[in-house]
């Protein structure tokens, strides 16, 4: 959903009412943002914060980057392709590591009244 918002913002050509009401990207922005908000809050209620955040980071990173490169013609500055690919890989690896290892260990607390 947030990836849809990122791509839709890129496709909106202006901010005048005539442009906004006739551009399908404006409607995709509203629907994508609403859906993303509902899905994220649902994920935060049902699961861990780190897992929901990792999914959010992956959704905001992978799909919009691929759409930008493949369909929208995004390119890096000359000579900076390898740092861009490296940064992208680090962001994805960090999100995956966060989802796997981000939760703090749960400590067991012994009751003071429990028999020893």
């Amino acid at each position: 959903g947030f990836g849809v918002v990122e791509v839709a913002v890129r496709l909106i050509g202006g901010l005048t009412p005539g442009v906004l009401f006739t551009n399908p990207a404006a409607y995709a922005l509203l629907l994508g943002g609403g859906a993303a908000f509902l899905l994220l809050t649902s994920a935060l209620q049902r699961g861990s914060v780190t897992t929901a955040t990792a999914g959010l980071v992956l959704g905001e990173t992978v799909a919009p980057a691929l759409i930008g490169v493949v369909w929208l013609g995004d390119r890096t500055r000359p000579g900076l392709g390898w740092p861009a690919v490296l940064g992208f890989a680090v962001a994805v690896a960090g999100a995956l590591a966060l989802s796997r290892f981000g939760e703090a260990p749960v400590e067991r607390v012994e009751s003071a009244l429990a028999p020893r």
Side-chain angles (χ1 to χ4, degrees):
F2 289 116
V4 169
V5 170
E6 292 173 12
V7 173
V9 166
R10 222 9 246 292
L11 297 174
I12 294 176
L15 296 178
T16 62
V19 171
L20 288 176
F21 289 125
T22 59
N23 193 336
Y27 298 103
L29 183 142
L30 294 174
L31 292 173
F37 177 76
L38 291 174
L39 289 171
L40 180 61
T41 55
S42 176
L44 290 171
Q45 288 176 347
R46 291 188 173 94
S48 71
V49 172
T50 53
T51 304
T53 303
L56 172 71
V57 169
L58 286 175
E60 285 183 326
T61 306
V62 176
L66 289 175
I67 290 170
V69 169
V70 173
W71 285 298
L72 299 178
D74 290 349
R75 300 288 177 256
T76 61
R77 292 181 184 169
L80 295 178
W82 67 271
V85 171
L86 180 64
F88 179 79
V90 168
V92 171
L96 292 173
L98 178 66
S99 68
R100 176 69 176 102
F101 304 109
E103 287 293 319
V106 178
E107 295 181 19
R108 290 183 50 142
V109 178
E110 292 185 30
S111 173
L113 301 175
R116 294 181 190 223

